[in-house]
């Protein structure tokens, strides 16, 4: 996005979501006028954070109802916008997905095509910033072993996920490819893709709308108190992910795909160690790392297939995030800050009181 950001109008789809709420706030703080879409403008609890931002930034945040599956639903919100951030996408925990194509793939693809259609019909739009995921780069951890230097790089696309096997990653891959095809079919607007890892950090939205907060439920609730299984994650702080979106819009030279994730993966055991330093009395947090053999034996009883275990357990790889730091100017928060803030938000959104440890005080 060229020129002074003050006075420029931008659209953020799915403004009540985990990432989008942070993005809306950062855009407002940088002087942008923001349009954002929500499923319905009458859900007072869900929209409370956005209403608070409206009060803090009078006249600069407008809410529009929109449906990912409804043709033309985003046209009104897109009017007059220079940049569209397409953040909204269906996110379901694996156990909630009954039909991968119906529940995840079709909403992600149709939603993307509807947003792209609005962009094509709006002559003021110069750039589309698309929220993807590292899951559009690889399907399973073993896939990274086939990449140059066994290092995660944005030059690859996921070729192993299917509707049946990891439908969320498949949906994001299909949706991102469709957006790139739409960009190539015209020459007015340009696209930048942000591909974050597992997004952690504090939520501005109600817990029911922050699916990412539930991804560490097993760890926080004490399911692994006997020992942390050797699974690791590519991680990104939600505030850094939002900042990457802003930079992708404001820097004219930004182009292509940007992995947004820490250089090193973070394991369950590392997260538990960080949290025990702040909450030494929490017996739910594991103190040791679990050997591989119990996970292989007992994993299926906890919903982990042998195929999943084989393709993920104990596998780590470096992440090439240089484009995000060198071209977007991103400075990553320490994982310690991210994990502690994520845990605090998880507790607060479940009504658990904040109990500072002696060290935390």
């Amino acid at each position: 996005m060229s020129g002074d950001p003050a006075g420029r109008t931008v659209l953020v789809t799915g403004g009540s979501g985990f990432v989008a709420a942070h993005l809306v706030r950062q855009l407002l703080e940088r002087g942008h006028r923001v349009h954002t879409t929500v499923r319905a403008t009458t859900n007072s609890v869900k929209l409370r954070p956005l209403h608070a931002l409206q009060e803090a930034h009078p006249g600069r945040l407008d809410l529009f109802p929109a449906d990912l599956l409804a043709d033309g639903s985003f046209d009104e919100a897109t009017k007059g916008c220079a940049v569209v951030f397409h953040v909204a996408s269906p996110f379901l925990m694996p156990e909630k997905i009954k039909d991968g194509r119906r529940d995840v793939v079709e909403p992600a693809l149709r939603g993307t095509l509807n947003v792209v259609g609005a962009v094509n019909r709006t002559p003021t739009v110069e750039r589309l910033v698309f929220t993807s995921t590292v899951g559009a780069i690889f399907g399973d951890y073993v896939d990274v072993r086939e990449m140059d230097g066994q290092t995660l790089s944005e030059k690859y696309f996921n070729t192993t996920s299917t509707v049946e096997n990891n439908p969320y990653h498949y949906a994001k891959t299909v949706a991102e490819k469709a957006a790139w095809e739409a960009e190539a079919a015209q020459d007015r607007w340009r696209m930048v893709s942000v591909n974050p890892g597992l997004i952690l950090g504090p939520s501005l939205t109600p817990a029911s709308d922050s699916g990412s907060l539930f991804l560490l439920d097993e760890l926080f609730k004490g399911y692994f108190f006997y020992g942390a299984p050797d699974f690791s994650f590519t991680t990104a702080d939600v505030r850094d992910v939002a900042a990457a979106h802003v930079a992708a819009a404001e820097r004219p030279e930004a182009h292509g795909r940007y992995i947004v994730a820490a250089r090193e993966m973070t394991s369950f055991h590392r997260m538990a160690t960080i949290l025990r330093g702040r909450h030494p009395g929490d017996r739910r947090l594991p103190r040791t790392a679990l050997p591989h053999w119990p996970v292989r034996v007992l994993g299926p009883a906890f919903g982990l297939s042998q195929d999943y275990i084989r393709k993920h357990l104990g596998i780590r790889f470096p992440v090439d995030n240089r484009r995000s730091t060198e071209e977007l100017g991103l400075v990553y928060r320490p994982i310690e800050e991210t994990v502690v803030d994520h845990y605090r938000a998880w507790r607060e959104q479940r009504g658990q009181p904040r109990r500072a440890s002696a060290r935390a005080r």
Side-chain angles (χ1 to χ4, degrees), residues 86 88-89 104-105 107-113 116 128-138 153-158 167-184 189 191-196 255-260 323:
H86 182 36
S89 184
V104 183
V105 178
L109 180 57
R110 286 184 60 188
T112 294
L113 294 177
V116 167
L128 169 65
V129 179
F130 185 86
T131 309
S132 188
T133 172
V134 293
I137 299 173
F138 68 90
S153 166
E154 57 266 290
K155 68 182 180 181
Y156 297 91
F157 266 96
N158 180 350
Y168 177 71
H169 282 191
Y170 177 73
K172 296 297 286 187
T173 304
V174 170
E176 187 190 328
K177 284 186 173 182
W180 283 119
E181 290 171 2
E183 188 225 29
W189 54 270
M191 173 172 149
V192 180
S193 176
V194 177
N195 296 67
H255 68 284
R257 309 170 86 198
Y258 290 90
I259 289 177
V260 176
R323 293 197 71 227

Side-chain angles (χ1 to χ4, degrees), residues 1 10-13 23 27 82-88 115-116 119 125-132 176 179-180 189-195 241-251 254-256 258 328:
M1 182 165 50
V10 303
L11 167 63
V12 178
T13 66
L23 176 56
L27 288 166
V83 177
V84 171
F85 299 89
H86 182 36
V87 188
V115 171
V116 167
V119 168
V125 176
E126 304 168 1
R127 181 165 297 193
L128 169 65
V129 179
F130 185 86
T131 309
S132 188
E176 187 190 328
W180 283 119
W189 54 270
R190 298 271 66 86
M191 173 172 149
V192 180
S193 176
V194 177
N195 296 67
V241 174
H245 282 73
V246 174
E250 292 185 348
R251 297 194 175 207
H255 68 284
Y258 290 90
L328 298 183

Side-chain angles (χ1 to χ4, degrees), residues 34-358:
V34 181
H35 293 181
T36 191
T37 62
V38 294
R39 290 181 184 176
T41 56
T42 56
N43 189 328
S44 59
V45 175
K46 182 177 180 180
L47 301 183
R48 192 174 297 154
L50 293 177
H51 290 155
L53 288 173
Q54 284 182 316
E55 293 179 5
H57 302 274
R60 292 204 291 114
L61 174 60
D62 295 311
L63 276 56
F64 296 80
D67 185 340
L68 285 172
L69 303 183
D71 293 343
S73 186
F74 294 88
D75 287 8
E76 186 65 25
T78 308
K79 285 182 180 178
C81 292
V83 177
V84 171
F85 299 89
H86 182 36
V87 188
S89 184
F91 178 87
L92 296 175
M93 299 299 288
E95 61 271 17
K96 297 290 183 66
I97 299 174
K98 306 303 180 184
D99 182 319
R101 185 169 298 280
R102 180 198 65 203
D103 297 340
V104 183
V105 178
E106 288 184 2
L109 180 57
R110 286 184 60 188
T112 294
L113 294 177
N114 283 335
V115 171
V116 167
V119 168
N120 281 332
R121 291 187 291 270
T122 307
T124 56
V125 176
E126 304 168 1
R127 181 165 297 193
L128 169 65
V129 179
F130 185 86
T131 309
S132 188
T133 172
V134 293
I137 299 173
F138 68 90
D140 299 299
Y141 286 3
V142 292
D143 297 348
V144 183
R145 290 178 171 173
E146 304 301 319
M147 298 180 183
D148 289 346
Q150 298 188 11
T151 299
L152 185 65
S153 166
E154 57 266 290
K155 68 182 180 181
Y156 297 91
F157 266 96
N158 180 350
T159 60
T160 59
S161 294
T162 65
V163 174
E164 295 77 23
N165 173 37
N166 205 335
Y168 177 71
H169 282 191
Y170 177 73
K172 296 297 286 187
T173 304
V174 170
E176 187 190 328
K177 284 186 173 182
W180 283 119
E181 290 171 2
E183 188 225 29
Q186 53 77 57
D187 58 9
R188 174 172 54 80
W189 54 270
R190 298 271 66 86
M191 173 172 149
V192 180
S193 176
V194 177
N195 296 67
L198 173 63
I199 305 174
L200 305 174
S203 176
L204 302 178
T205 60
S208 60
D209 296 318
S210 303
S212 188
L213 286 181
F214 291 92
L215 290 173
L216 299 181
D217 257 8
E218 289 86 353
L219 175 64
F220 296 163
K221 288 182 176 179
Y223 291 4
F224 305 137
F225 74 93
Y226 48 81
D230 191 12
F231 290 111
S232 298
F233 307 91
T234 58
T235 57
D237 190 292
V238 64
R239 294 159 292 192
D240 295 341
V241 174
H245 282 73
V246 174
E250 292 185 348
R251 297 194 175 207
E253 68 276 15
H255 68 284
R257 309 170 86 198
Y258 290 90
I259 289 177
V260 176
R263 174 74 181 171
E264 296 181 357
M265 300 176 76
T266 306
S267 67
F268 272 136
H269 185 244
R270 174 66 177 141
M271 293 180 191
T273 300
I274 291 170
L275 292 175
R276 281 192 295 103
R278 295 295 187 97
H279 304 274
D282 193 337
R283 297 181 179 180
R284 296 172 299 181
L285 299 171
R287 295 182 175 275
T288 61
L290 199 65
H292 288 188
W293 69 264
V295 180
R296 294 193 178 101
V297 172
L298 300 175
F302 293 90
L304 299 177
S305 68
Q306 290 295 348
D307 184 64
Y308 180 89
I309 292 171
R310 178 178 61 83
K311 293 178 178 177
H312 296 83
L313 183 65
I315 297 177
R316 295 179 181 81
F317 47 81
V319 177
D320 184 355
N321 64 8
R322 288 176 297 174
R323 293 197 71 227
S324 70
T325 58
E326 295 174 3
E327 297 181 22
L328 298 183
L330 203 61
V331 177
Y332 287 92
R333 283 173 168 78
I335 187 61
E336 292 81 3
E337 177 183 348
T338 300
V339 170
V340 168
D341 287 351
H342 186 94
Y343 184 61
R344 173 181 50 78
W346 181 88
R347 289 174 61 91
E348 290 178 355
Q349 293 199 359
R350 282 151 187 77
Q352 299 183 42
R354 295 179 63 178
R355 292 182 299 175
S357 66

